Amino acid sequence: MSEKTLSIIKPDAVLKNKIGAIISRFEDNNLKVIAAQMLMLSREQAGAFYSVHKERPFYQGLLDFMTSGPVLVMTLEGNNAITKNRELMGATDPAKADTGTIRADFADNVEANAVHGSDSPETAATEIAFFFPNLGG
Ligand code: CMP
């Protein structure tokens, strides 16, 4: 089933010049970039995007990190895009991510973990609407 999901290439991976390498992983696995914008997140934007984590101890550090440099926000489309993107990313903590995944190859630690991806259809719809309000379902 064709789906859309939100992907963010985070400041650590942008700084390391890994935008192309990461997008190649998506394209090589039949995920198509159908929308993209490069931007510096404001603290307010980052806080709203990650509001589900606002009670977590890592929340303020996460906002510091996500606003530390530019990010590339994308909508990806393809069969089972949500699950496929999560498989390609690997576990949140790169130390636990499977060999060959984006986080195993490009991430430094559980905070600076190279990429974000929506974790469910509901989250994907909310996250896509957050950055691409004109894209629709
Ligand atoms: P992401 O998939 O974008 O979703 C929430 C983010 O919070 C996560 O990736 C990490 O960047 C960060 N995060 C999750 N757990 C921790 C943790 N234990 N310590 C620091 N940052 C974390």
Side-chain angles (χ1 to χ4, degrees):
M1 186 187 64
S2 186
E3 284 178 337
K4 296 184 184 73
T5 191
L6 190 88
S7 170
I8 303 178
I9 301 182
K10 297 186 179 185
D12 58 326
V14 172
L15 193 67
K16 287 194 238 173
N17 245 7
K18 296 302 177 189
I19 291 176
I22 291 171
I23 291 179
S24 288
R25 303 278 176 108
F26 298 144
E27 293 182 337
D28 291 348
N29 287 277
N30 298 314
L31 292 179
K32 185 179 268 293
V33 180
I34 63 161
Q37 52 176 315
M38 192 159 192
L39 74 164
M40 285 285 298
L41 292 173
S42 67
R43 199 164 184 93
E44 290 67 32
Q45 272 178 309
F49 183 78
Y50 280 121
S51 61
V52 64
H53 296 303
K54 64 177 179 291
E55 306 302 337
R56 307 288 284 273
F58 57 79
Y59 181 66
Q60 293 301 330
L62 177 61
L63 302 194
D64 292 342
F65 166 62
M66 288 300 292
T67 57
S68 67
V71 297
L72 184 69
V73 185
M74 295 173 284
T75 297
L76 306 178
E77 186 174 61
N79 280 338
N80 297 314
I82 297 165
T83 301
K84 191 181 282 182
N85 182 37
R86 292 183 69 76
E87 287 171 0
L88 293 173
M89 289 193 299
T92 304
D93 182 349
K96 297 179 185 149
D98 288 343
T99 306
T101 60
I102 292 169
R103 284 169 170 156
D105 288 346
F106 303 124
D108 294 326
N109 54 60
V110 71
E111 178 179 84
N113 64 352
V115 280
H116 168 82
S118 307
D119 65 3
S120 70
E122 295 72 29
T123 312
T126 307
E127 291 183 349
I128 291 168
F130 186 91
F131 286 109
F132 302 102
N134 298 328
L135 212 51

